[in-house]
Amino acid sequence: MKRTLLAGALALAGLTAVEARAEGEQPAAETAPAAEAPVHRFGVYSRGGVHAYLSNSRSVGVFGGSVGVRDIIQDRFILQADVGFLTNLGNAVPVQLAAGVQRKGLYSPAALLTLTSFFGERLTFVTVDHPVAIRTPPVALGFLLAPARFNVAGGEISLLEFGLGVSPEFPGWGVAYQLNLVSVGVSF
């Protein structure tokens, strides 16, 4: 009796496996996971060009470069942070946080939302609207566009990135300009 029940159970199990194969499904033990792209791709990058903040009451930066870290999520979304050094209108240290989106593939233009603060020396002006020099560092909210950006085998290069940002001066507004001539990075 026990052998008959065991044989029936094995036959039923074998029949179920045969039916699953006949329908095109593979048993769980025979399926292999598909190779997927990593969810996070971390990297470092460096860029150089023009980055300036100009307003009626103060001006910061102009020429320099920066280095930063980047996380690319699912080859689509970008999170990055960098710190740089600017000279000409005082020696300044811009700190920028950015988040955005890129196109997948070899040609991968990107658009990012940026938050940039300029620490350090600046050229200040005393005006009727600002009778006392502003001591706090300017913080600009803006965007960065990278239309000529390419990814190849864990490396990337971007030419002529440009950005624009604004910051309240109470009263008035300051404008942050950014033109990166070249940006290069590697990811791992």
Side-chain angles (χ1 to χ4, degrees):
M1 177 84 169
K2 289 183 181 178
R3 286 186 182 159
T4 307
L5 287 175
L6 183 57
L10 290 175
L12 183 59
L15 181 61
T16 305
V18 170
E19 286 176 351
R21 287 187 189 145
E23 293 175 4
E25 299 175 345
Q26 295 292 325
E30 295 181 17
T31 59
E36 295 180 14
V39 174
H40 292 275
R41 197 175 57 176
F42 297 100
V44 294
Y45 66 95
S46 177
R47 59 186 178 193
V50 177
H51 200 168
Y53 177 84
L54 306 172
S55 75
N56 289 337
S57 60
R58 56 190 167 172
S59 296
V60 180
V62 176
F63 302 109
S66 62
V67 294
V69 294
R70 176 179 293 147
D71 181 14
I72 299 176
I73 303 166
Q74 298 175 347
D75 285 333
R76 174 70 66 186
F77 304 103
I78 301 171
L79 300 173
Q80 66 184 34
D82 63 66
V83 62
F85 180 76
L86 301 172
T87 188
N88 200 15
L89 297 176
N91 295 325
V93 176
V95 176
Q96 187 174 73
L97 301 174
V101 64
Q102 73 173 1
R103 182 179 179 272
K104 291 183 180 181
L106 171 67
Y107 174 61
S108 56
L112 295 98
L113 184 66
T114 62
L115 184 65
T116 308
S117 184
F118 297 87
F119 297 98
E121 298 174 353
R122 61 190 140 266
L123 186 60
T124 58
F125 310 103
V126 176
T127 65
V128 175
D129 292 334
H130 296 279
V132 177
I134 299 172
R135 301 279 181 213
T136 60
V139 177
L141 178 65
F143 66 89
L144 179 69
L145 299 176
R149 191 165 177 268
F150 303 91
N151 284 310
V152 176
E156 63 185 53
I157 186 164
S158 182
L159 304 171
L160 295 176
E161 299 175 342
F162 54 94
L164 189 65
V166 294
S167 174
E169 290 283 328
F170 304 116
W173 294 91
V175 180
Y177 300 94
Q178 185 172 1
L179 175 66
N180 298 318
L181 300 178
V182 66
S183 174
V184 293
V186 295
S187 58
F188 42 90

